[in-house]
Every structure is written in C-alpha cells, then in structure tokens.
Amino acid sequence: MILLILAMLARLGAPLAFAPAIAFVVEHDAPPAGLTPQEGAALLIVYGWQESQLSPNVRRGDDGRAVCAFQVHADGARAAALEASPVACVRAAYAVMRASQALCGDLSGYCGACRGAFPRELARRRASDAVRLLILSHQPTTKEATP
C-alpha cells in the first residue's frame, strides 16, 4: 500500500510527509462504505491536496475551526491533537469521509453539506480526481518506461 500511496503523491508532486500516516490509516481503519482501501487512499490524497496541498503546517481555515492538512473541524484539545499527529489528522479525515458517505451517500458532507449543488459537485469532482489519480499511479512514467 505504501508504494501505491507514494506513487500517487509523486504524480501530484505532493510532499511525502503524510504517506506513512495515510498507509497506516487505510490499512487499519474501515474505508467509507463501498470503497476499497486503495480508493480510500486516493480520496485522502485528493482531499488533503485540495484542502492544503498536504502541508503539515497549514493555517487553520473556516474561522479557526478547520485544522490540520485535511481541514477537519475541531477545537480545543482535539484540534491540538490533530495538528500534532499526522495519523490523528488522517484518521479524523477518514472518519469524516465515512460519516459523510453514510449520511449523504457521497462525500458532499465533507465538502460542506449533504444538500446543495456546490458540495455535491465538489465531491463528484474530487471522486473523479481520485479515480484518475489511482489509474495514473498504476501506469509507468516516461522515465520508468524507458529500458
């Protein structure tokens, strides 16, 4: 799994700091309903990339409520814990994805709300990006293809 995650991060030109945390979480936690761990990893990478470019030192968003690279809403001690631990940050994002999938039938809840055109479209685009990233990560780059 770690090799697939590294390949997906490399395709984006993303920092590799979250690779071990993403691998740990997708190998130990249940994915959102109907998804494989590989698809879950791709979604985590896309969401982290689009929320913060997977920066471990991201500023808080949403008036200080959204924390860590995945911009999960938290406050107080929980916010500090998410900011201090990449595994906790990824695990919290995966939990929000599972809850959104269960409640909304897609990841629009992670994007703001189950209802509404913008969150639904954003979730659809991110899911499409994750599928594309997963497919591209299984294809050799030009450099790898050269004997």
Side-chain angles (χ1 to χ4, degrees), residues 95-113:
V96 172
M97 287 180 176
R98 282 193 306 274
S100 178
Q101 184 72 19
L103 183 64
C104 308
D106 61 14
L107 298 184
S108 59
Y110 194 118
C111 299

Side-chain angles (χ1 to χ4, degrees), residues 68-81:
C68 79
F70 293 87
Q71 295 292 280
V72 176
H73 283 209
D75 55 16
R78 181 165 184 259

